[in-house]
Amino acid sequence: MLTTTPSPPPTSDLAIPHAEGVSNDEFRAAMSRLAAGVVLVTAHDPDDGPRGEDVGMTATAFMSVSLDPPLVLVSLRNGSRMDDLLAEVPVWAVSVLAEHQRHIAGRFAMKGRVSDRLLFADVPYTRGEESGAPLLTGALATLECRTENRVLAGDHTLVVARVLTSTAPTTEDTPLTYFRGKYRHLG
């Protein structure tokens, strides 16, 4: 009779399956196969300095939720600057990035940055009338949003917001996408 010895338990916490059976690495690998659009979420922090400060964050977890009323959702890492700011500031904006704005996506995705003021220094934008937040020039679309609901979901907060304004300029530009951990060109 053949007997087998059980495998030793994994040594890395990242490889330990959750109670439901999937590890962080397995989940991350599976979700990296889902292509996503890339947006820049922006808000104006009026309490930061004499004139306040603009804050931006690259996001790929952004989606339309409802047409009537017009609602969108963005997922924010708990405790991030944007999560903390949107808990206090009810209006914010989103710019849907074009492929030529890849450098902007990378810039605002950096971890551990000191100041967003420097990141906005050479980025062309207008200020939203409803939110006061930056709306990127050359974006495929822009939206201004007002938070309707915040839902705690694991290590993220899902922010559901009503769309107050939207623009979609006529352009032949292609969207910036994110697939398998990299920004990609669609086409």
Side-chain angles (χ1 to χ4, degrees), residues 12 22 24 26 28 37 59 79 93 96 132 140 148 152 156:
S12 165
V22 65
N24 291 355
E26 291 167 329
R28 186 176 291 114
V96 178
L140 295 179
E148 299 258 320
L152 187 60
H156 278 63

Side-chain angles (χ1 to χ4, degrees), residues 80-180:
S80 67
R81 181 165 186 203
M82 190 60 75
D83 180 39
D84 293 344
L85 181 58
L86 294 192
E88 301 295 323
V89 175
V91 289
W92 44 280
V94 173
S95 296
V96 178
L97 298 183
E99 200 279 327
H100 68 83
Q101 294 173 311
R102 175 187 306 232
H103 66 287
I104 294 171
R107 178 184 294 190
F108 284 92
M110 290 188 305
K111 294 183 184 348
R113 59 186 190 255
V114 178
S115 168
D116 283 12
R117 186 170 283 121
L118 296 174
L119 301 180
F120 279 106
D122 64 345
V123 175
Y125 65 86
T126 59
R127 218 166 262 293
E129 290 184 25
E130 296 290 329
S131 65
L135 300 170
L136 295 189
T137 303
L140 295 179
T142 60
L143 304 111
E144 290 184 277
C145 307
R146 182 184 64 234
T147 300
E148 299 258 320
N149 198 5
R150 295 174 57 86
V151 178
L152 187 60
D155 59 2
H156 278 63
T157 298
L158 305 178
V159 179
V160 179
R162 182 178 299 256
V163 177
L164 304 174
T165 69
S166 68
T167 64
T170 303
T171 179
E172 295 299 317
D173 290 338
T174 57
L176 180 60
T177 57
Y178 193 72
F179 180 71
R180 288 193 169 178

Side-chain angles (χ1 to χ4, degrees), residues 66-90:
S66 169
L67 185 60
D68 187 18
L71 299 174
V72 293
L73 177 146
V74 66
S75 180
L76 306 173
R77 186 176 29 80
N78 293 340
S80 67
R81 181 165 186 203
M82 190 60 75
D83 180 39
D84 293 344
L85 181 58
L86 294 192
E88 301 295 323
V89 175

Side-chain angles (χ1 to χ4, degrees), residues 20-43:
E20 294 79 22
V22 65
S23 72
N24 291 355
D25 289 343
E26 291 167 329
F27 181 67
R28 186 176 291 114
M31 296 312 298
S32 76
R33 269 66 172 186
L34 177 63
V38 183
V39 301
L40 183 68
V41 179
T42 57

